[in-house]
Amino acid sequence: MFEGLEKMLKFQDKEKGMNGKHDLKVPLLEPTESVAVTVSEPAQREHRKARTVMFKVGGMKCASCAVSIESVIGKRNGIESVMVSPLQGQAVIRYKPELISVTTIKDTIEDLGYLVNELPEQDIAVCRLQIKGMACTSCSESIERALLMVDGVKKVVVGLALEEAKIHFDPNLTDSDQLIQAIEDAGFGADLISSGDNINKVHLKLEGINSPEDLNIIQSTLGSTEGVNHVEMDPVGHKVIISYDPDLTGPRSLIQCIQEAGQIPDFYHATLYVPPRQREAERQHEILVYRNQFLWSCLFSIPVFIFSMVLPMLPPYGNWLSHKLYNMFTTGMLLRWLLCSPVQFIIGRRFYTGAYHALKRGSANMDVLVALGTNAAYFYSVYSLIKALSSDSFEGQDFFETSTMLISFILLGKYLEVVAKGKTSEALAKLTDLAPETAFLLNLDGNENIISENEISTQLIQRNDIIKIVPGSKVPVDGVVVRGQSYVNESMITGEARPIAKRPGDKVIGGTLNENGCLIIKATHVGSETALSQIVQLVEAAQLARAPVQKLADQISKFFVPTVVVAAFLTWLGWFVFGEAGVYPRSWIPQAMDGFEMALQFGISVLVVACPCALGLATPTAVMVSTGIGASQGVLIKGGNALENAHKVKTVVFDKTGTLTVGKPVVVSTMLFSDVPIQDFCDMAAIAEANSEHPIGKAVVEYTKKLHQQYGSNTEHMTEVKDFEVYPGSGVGGNVNGKRVLVGNKRLMKTHNIPVNPDVEDYMSESEQLARTCVLVAVNGIVSGAFAVTDPVKPEAERVISFLRTMGITSIMVTGDNWATATAIAKEVGIQTVFAETDPQGKANKIKDLQMEGDAVAMVGDGINDSPALVAADVGMAIGAGTDVAIEAADVVLIKSNLEDVVTAIDLSRKTLSRIRLNYVWALGYNVLGMPIAAGILFPFTGIRLPPWLAGACMAASSLSVVCSSLLLQSYKKPLHFQDSRGSIDFSNSV
């Protein structure tokens, strides 16, 4: 049994530094995208710029082929090393990119007569671009097509709601400038948000610059500084952007380096420069542009509407509009034409530009429909003006109010849509604002005494800095407590309302709130490595990812616009032909209109009301809101795919250790088999285990400390163990106060010929049935007592399993532990199906077996051994306190490490998919209901027509309805919120 718990907790033992020193440089969440374009060797700076590339080479038959490739490639300038394996068909080449490119190397190998099958996938860079001018799904598809045509681009994801593009490309064949140019050639704007080399960047403003030579001195000094990867100078604004390695340097060191570059002290000065948030600035600019365009449009369209629809109905006030200037050309016509033209060609210029670029790339979007509809109305009205000028009997009607009102309503809709879309990322914006702006930096002497205290910007904090956090202030960066005790409210990050006690050795997370005590922490993660930054990166990646359900909108949009154009043409043609043929009575045609004009209005209305703008917003806006809300409540969903798959889950597979259980063994009872006092017995066992790193040994020591605290005895001056020995897989031993003490399992007792009497055997048997490990303690060759150690079940586990059952979801346990322990734990939490003694690959195979039965399977785990199963499952859920490998492999990260968030993730997925379906109803409902009405299906029976300007209002309302529908997800509440009223479980009296 001892071996079972030892095996169960083996990887926990490897992670013993969770609150210590061993993992201080390991990020809480690994980045979802890795960019491997360099191979670093910190010892030699010149080698850090070299890259390693690997090719698959076909046609090699023997070792001489490899030698010939190595000799030819090795002679090329810029090649550092070449290794060719004819058996594996691979060539690994180390080169300097400034002297030779990957394409040149590839061509050289091909010139020798060999086939290079593909470029290396490890030489891939990633950049994110802000896109301007997207109106609907067809716009995002056009951008994807334009980027995929660029040589070297591997993968493109364009997010319509987020207005961003994430591009994977070969940096040897293209760069971000060429990608931006490709987007601009397609008719859209683009700005660089980030690239693979700016993970750690600092922006500095320079002072004391008097000549270009000063800038050159600073650039060369920074370029030769250890840890600096790239220096970008702005000679006009006297600014510098520095990319650096946080392991080797930091912002304060770089500022000091600049100051020391001058010939006299403080010749140059550098201060932190915070560039404006580009995305927020762009959004505010877009809101301002749409608002101003709408107001200018109203300035012209409202008078046109009054002159066309209101004053003619109010004689004698409108009689002056009928004054004939020449033939049938009236004052009203002139005024409407003069007021409409600026709206059509100046304010509405954006629709012409968008339609031109859309048609140029062979697609059709909203701009095409708007341009067609407004042009039809405007130019027919101009035709009516010309006829009125040239005829003294023409009584036609113009539609200038149709064009102006249509453009005004569309601009109003876009303005409201942009404002509403900005709210979809509010949860993410709140996360980014959690970190405080300043922090207190401490300088210590060799005896750890505080010498000085300075308030600095949070962005100037470097790794290993000592920071003071006063009560009521926020933690600036991730770190470990080195001095002080307090309670920290981590609800801003994890959603957990109850403050958590922090003592020396415990981790703290940037952005959380220190409540009542003063803490001194050592910074371990700064910049983009902090948990807060990584959470933001994961949420941004999830918001950009396209959910599979989005494919429906993409498919519809491909043929929707051409279908609408055809439908509008057929509507106009049908009404016009039937009118000319006398199929419907002339009395149906309104006064001052002829059959052609009425048919034209029906056609324009169909064009406008059917615009599919809202269709492209249905999925991404819901995904943006739900992923942001999930992150704020402690559930990180890594993409639309995971969000969609979670709602299909019918089976949840749980790991045991660290998932259903706490993952930290505790002593739950003590049994004495001799007359040794309980405190003396525990002291001897604790002293013997004091030097042990095994989790069970630590549990015995912790139990003894609590016992002393309970009885108020002194624990500071405990005797040290002598002749300490470790017996792998059995226990430990040593001399304590002249007595030989052995602490371990039954095997240890047998090895040392210590008899185990029936009472001890019975206690061991009872413990095993309760899923407990029995630790025997022998003093001078006699078993004096025993500890029962267990890994306690998480208090919320039973309720979570029960709640999942009410949701129609089956729970299964798969663990590597023995059958007795697994069965006991499963019975305690209410799981019926158990698979024990399963290795990591076996867990993955069990997931696949369950999937073969037709059910979507979710896997919940926390360890390295769970990673294969997390990847194999339809949805992998990693406990946030687990290993980085498990977190990287999972689709969903439960930051709080609470099982109740398994329910939250599945329920949030179901609510989101339900909202997306409702969004499709809003998006298509206006089209499905509006198109027949716009086409005039009700007109013969009720006389109801849908004027083009009202059709434009419906189109705008469609987009706004979808965004507002998605925003309602912000009111999401967890279906299960567990509060453990028992507090921490104390087993001190279980003797």
Side-chain angles (χ1 to χ4, degrees):
M1 191 66 183
F2 193 96
E3 292 89 346
L5 189 57
E6 182 179 9
K7 178 182 177 183
M8 174 182 69
L9 297 168
K10 185 160 58 179
F11 100 83
Q12 299 257 341
D13 191 28
K14 292 179 181 178
E15 294 182 307
K16 59 183 178 288
M18 200 50 137
N19 281 335
K21 299 179 181 178
H22 297 281
D23 65 336
L24 298 189
K25 293 186 179 181
V26 180
L28 174 67
L29 301 175
E30 290 292 339
T32 56
E33 297 289 344
S34 60
V35 183
V37 295
T38 61
V39 177
S40 300
E41 294 183 11
Q44 298 181 7
R45 178 172 178 81
E46 64 273 10
H47 283 193
R48 209 176 299 136
K49 295 181 179 179
R51 292 179 180 173
T52 299
V53 64
M54 183 171 63
F55 292 107
K56 290 184 178 180
V57 183
M60 290 190 295
K61 299 178 181 178
C62 58
S64 62
C65 298
V67 173
S68 65
I69 294 175
E70 289 179 354
S71 62
V72 172
I73 296 296
K75 294 177 182 177
R76 298 299 299 264
N77 187 27
I79 300 295
E80 290 194 350
S81 65
V82 184
M83 289 183 293
V84 181
S85 171
L87 293 177
Q88 296 178 340
Q90 292 181 348
V92 180
I93 304 163
R94 189 175 179 80
Y95 70 102
K96 291 185 177 179
E98 66 270 18
L99 299 177
I100 190 169
S101 68
V102 172
T103 306
T104 304
I105 299 173
K106 176 176 178 286
D107 293 340
T108 304
I109 299 175
E110 290 178 339
D111 291 342
L112 293 173
Y114 301 101
L115 179 65
V116 181
N117 293 323
E118 59 184 33
L119 285 174
E121 287 302 317
Q122 73 269 21
D123 199 19
I124 297 297
V126 180
C127 75
R128 288 170 54 220
L129 301 177
Q130 184 79 37
I131 309 295
K132 307 171 190 174
M134 288 195 295
C136 57
T137 307
S138 62
C139 296
S140 60
E141 289 181 345
S142 299
I143 293 172
E144 287 185 3
R145 286 197 300 269
L147 288 170
L148 287 171
M149 291 174 65
V150 177
D151 190 24
V153 172
K154 304 292 184 181
K155 179 184 175 184
V156 178
V157 180
V158 179
L160 176 63
L162 204 59
E163 296 178 335
E164 281 187 18
K166 189 172 188 178
I167 306 143
H168 298 67
F169 62 95
D170 183 350
N172 300 290
L173 299 177
T174 188
D175 56 25
S176 56
D177 292 335
Q178 293 184 36
L179 299 174
I180 291 174
Q181 186 61 47
I183 294 173
E184 291 176 348
D185 290 343
F188 302 91
D191 290 318
L192 181 67
I193 298 176
S194 66
S195 58
D197 61 350
N198 67 351
I199 295 175
N200 289 289
K201 271 190 177 181
V202 62
H203 298 252
L204 300 176
K205 189 170 182 61
L206 304 174
E207 296 176 7
I209 306 299
N210 300 314
S211 66
E213 183 63 27
D214 293 333
L215 294 174
N216 293 334
I217 292 173
I218 293 174
Q219 185 166 10
S220 61
T221 303
L222 289 172
S224 59
T225 302
E226 178 102 18
V228 173
N229 298 326
H230 181 69
V231 180
E232 182 180 340
M233 303 293 295
D234 177 10
V236 178
H238 290 177
K239 297 169 187 171
V240 60
I241 303 173
I242 310 165
S243 301
Y244 63 93
D245 183 349
D247 288 326
L248 302 175
T249 188
R252 291 201 319 281
S253 300
L254 296 173
I255 290 175
Q256 185 179 357
C257 175
I258 292 173
Q259 290 175 344
E260 294 174 351
Q263 296 178 356
I264 60 174
D266 299 330
F267 186 80
Y268 301 130
H269 295 275
T271 55
L272 195 66
Y273 166 71
V274 181
R277 290 184 179 179
Q278 187 173 1
R279 184 184 304 172
E280 187 60 31
E282 289 286 348
R283 180 174 287 119
Q284 293 302 323
H285 176 70
E286 189 177 16
I287 290 173
L288 192 62
V289 167
Y290 275 119
R291 188 199 69 180
N292 291 342
Q293 287 186 341
F294 169 67
L295 293 177
W296 276 107
S297 179
C298 288
L299 184 64
F300 293 98
S301 59
I302 290 176
V304 172
F305 180 77
I306 292 173
F307 295 159
S308 298
M309 313 293 289
V310 179
L311 289 181
M313 313 276 281
L314 300 173
Y317 303 106
N319 292 344
W320 62 276
L321 292 171
S322 302
H323 175 70
K324 295 177 182 177
L325 299 175
Y326 184 78
N327 284 340
M328 301 300 291
F329 185 68
T330 64
T331 304
M333 287 182 175
L334 176 63
L335 290 175
R336 290 192 291 268
W337 174 58
L338 292 175
L339 290 169
C340 177
S341 295
V343 177
Q344 182 70 33
F345 298 109
I346 299 176
I347 299 172
R349 181 175 178 270
R350 62 184 309 115
F351 302 113
Y352 285 100
T353 305
Y356 167 74
H357 287 294
L359 295 174
K360 181 182 176 182
R361 57 182 179 260
S363 63
N365 60 4
M366 177 201 79
D367 294 328
V368 173
L369 295 180
V370 174
L372 280 173
T374 56
N375 278 332
Y378 179 84
F379 286 106
Y380 177 77
S381 300
V382 171
Y383 165 77
S384 297
L385 258 65
I386 296 172
K387 288 281 289 182
L389 276 169
S390 59
S391 172
D392 57 1
S393 59
F394 179 74
E395 295 183 356
Q397 184 182 7
D398 62 78
F399 297 127
F400 287 122
E401 82 285 349
T402 296
S403 174
T404 56
M405 294 298 291
L406 181 55
I407 290 174
S408 297
F409 272 110
I410 290 172
L411 291 174
L412 174 62
K414 293 299 292 182
Y415 167 69
L416 296 175
E417 179 187 318
V418 171
V419 172
K421 277 166 62 178
K423 296 182 181 295
T424 59
S425 55
E426 275 187 352
L428 185 59
K430 289 177 182 177
L431 277 176
T432 59
D433 291 336
L434 284 179
E437 294 183 359
T438 61
F440 292 100
L441 175 69
L442 302 181
N443 291 320
L444 308 180
D445 61 15
N447 297 321
E448 302 296 319
N449 297 317
I450 299 174
I451 302 174
S452 63
E453 176 182 318
N454 299 307
E455 187 174 8
I456 64 170
S457 169
T458 304
Q459 296 187 39
L460 293 176
I461 296 176
Q462 299 180 184
R463 184 173 288 161
N464 297 324
D465 280 348
I466 304 299
I467 307 296
K468 184 176 83 170
I469 307 167
V470 298
S473 64
K474 290 183 178 180
V475 179
V477 293
D478 295 1
V480 62
V481 179
V482 295
R483 196 184 303 173
Q485 295 186 10
S486 181
Y487 282 88
V488 175
N489 188 334
E490 298 185 343
S491 61
M492 292 174 285
I493 298 291
T494 66
E496 181 61 51
R498 188 164 46 190
I500 299 171
K502 298 293 180 180
R503 297 177 178 85
D506 290 342
K507 280 186 173 182
V508 288
I509 303 173
T512 56
L513 182 65
N514 180 31
E515 293 205 335
N516 53 6
C518 183
L519 292 176
I520 308 296
I521 71 165
K522 182 178 183 180
T524 58
H525 299 84
V526 296
S528 62
E529 296 176 348
T530 63
L532 183 61
S533 296
Q534 292 172 38
I535 288 170
V536 170
Q537 290 170 25
L538 282 175
V539 176
E540 285 181 338
Q543 291 182 344
L544 188 60
R546 184 172 296 176
V549 71
Q550 176 70 18
K551 292 177 181 177
L552 174 62
D554 295 343
Q555 292 298 322
I556 293 174
S557 66
K558 285 181 180 178
F559 62 83
F560 199 80
V561 173
T563 302
V564 168
V565 174
V566 172
F569 176 76
L570 292 177
T571 299
W572 167 79
L573 189 64
W575 279 100
F576 178 63
V577 171
F578 288 161
E580 292 297 313
V583 175
Y584 59 84
R586 298 287 299 175
S587 59
W588 285 9
I589 303 175
Q591 289 184 356
M593 240 191 227
D594 59 22
F596 177 85
E597 294 168 346
M598 187 177 76
L600 183 64
Q601 281 216 351
F602 281 127
I604 294 173
S605 295
V606 170
L607 268 179
V608 176
V609 80
C611 186
C613 305
L615 201 61
L617 296 171
T619 299
T621 52
V623 170
M624 283 179 67
V625 175
S626 60
T627 50
I629 291 298
S632 67
Q633 299 196 9
V635 179
L636 278 184
I637 302 171
K638 289 188 179 180
N641 197 36
L643 188 66
E644 182 171 344
N645 286 340
H647 92 285
K648 305 174 186 175
V649 168
K650 293 297 180 185
T651 304
V652 178
V653 177
F654 290 92
D655 174 46
K656 184 179 76 68
T657 307
T659 302
L660 288 172
T661 64
V662 175
K664 183 179 180 182
V666 294
V667 175
V668 292
S669 70
T670 311
M671 176 66 73
L672 296 177
F673 301 108
S674 65
D675 56 358
V676 178
I678 180 65
Q679 287 197 31
D680 292 346
F681 168 76
C682 291
D683 282 345
M684 286 188 289
I687 292 169
E689 289 280 15
N691 294 329
S692 174
E693 291 291 337
H694 198 283
I696 292 179
K698 290 185 175 182
V700 172
V701 174
E702 188 65 26
Y703 173 77
T704 304
K705 287 181 180 179
K706 287 185 178 180
L707 202 65
H708 279 284
Q709 291 173 2
Q710 183 177 349
Y711 293 106
S713 54
N714 186 15
T715 61
E716 293 183 2
H717 303 290
M718 294 184 69
T719 308
E720 290 188 8
V721 63
K722 297 179 180 179
D723 301 326
F724 177 76
E725 291 184 80
V726 176
Y727 304 98
S730 299
V732 298
N735 294 323
V736 180
N737 294 327
K739 298 178 181 179
R740 181 63 179 171
V741 179
L742 294 173
V743 183
N745 55 18
K746 187 177 180 181
R747 186 197 307 166
L748 182 66
M749 302 299 131
K750 286 185 177 180
T751 303
H752 289 79
N753 298 318
I754 298 174
V756 179
N757 60 44
D759 290 343
V760 177
E761 294 278 7
D762 291 342
Y763 180 71
M764 292 175 65
S765 178
E766 291 174 6
S767 297
E768 288 177 358
Q769 291 177 5
L770 295 172
R772 297 173 180 176
T773 297
C774 194
V775 181
L776 304 178
V777 181
V779 180
N780 289 336
I782 299 174
V783 177
S784 298
F787 296 101
V789 180
T790 189
D791 184 8
V793 172
K794 288 183 177 178
E796 73 271 17
E798 183 179 3
R799 187 176 174 189
V800 168
I801 300 301
S802 175
F803 197 91
L804 287 173
R805 195 179 298 118
T806 64
M807 295 173 68
I809 296 173
T810 304
S811 298
I812 295 174
M813 180 198 292
V814 179
T815 178
D817 205 356
N818 61 68
W819 279 98
T821 304
T823 304
I825 296 295
K827 184 178 179 181
E828 185 175 350
V829 300
I831 292 179
Q832 304 294 327
T833 308
V834 180
F835 299 96
E837 299 177 6
T838 309
D839 60 15
Q841 190 56 46
K843 291 183 179 182
N845 292 336
K846 185 56 63 178
I847 296 287
K848 293 175 183 176
D849 292 342
L850 293 169
Q851 290 171 330
M852 291 293 289
E853 298 175 8
D855 289 339
V857 180
M859 170 69 192
V860 186
D862 72 323
I864 294 173
N865 59 335
D866 297 324
S867 300
L870 289 170
V871 173
D874 296 283
V875 180
M877 299 185 185
I879 299 297
T883 63
D884 295 325
V885 176
I887 290 172
E888 174 68 14
D891 303 302
V892 178
V893 180
L894 311 178
I895 309 176
K896 292 167 26 182
S897 301
N898 284 355
L899 287 177
E900 66 195 44
D901 286 336
V902 174
V903 175
T904 303
I906 296 173
D907 184 68
L908 181 59
S909 170
R910 291 182 176 182
K911 292 286 195 304
T912 304
L913 265 294
S914 174
R915 183 64 56 180
I916 289 173
R917 295 189 188 102
L918 180 61
N919 286 353
Y920 278 132
V921 171
W922 282 112
L924 293 174
Y926 283 89
N927 301 131
V928 173
L929 295 177
M931 279 183 68
I933 297 174
I937 194 172
L938 298 179
F939 183 70
F941 313 104
T942 62
I944 294 176
R945 289 187 301 118
L946 191 65
W949 61 269
L950 187 56
C954 290
M955 185 201 71
S958 175
S959 297
L960 195 60
S961 300
V962 166
V963 177
C964 291
S965 173
S966 295
L967 285 172
L968 290 176
L969 280 170
Q970 289 187 332
S971 62
Y972 174 80
K973 301 294 181 184
K974 289 185 176 183
L976 180 63
H977 191 78
F978 183 82
Q979 289 289 348
D980 184 17
S981 58
R982 296 176 296 175
S984 59
I985 304 173
D986 188 2
F987 296 103
S988 301
N989 294 319
S990 303
V991 181

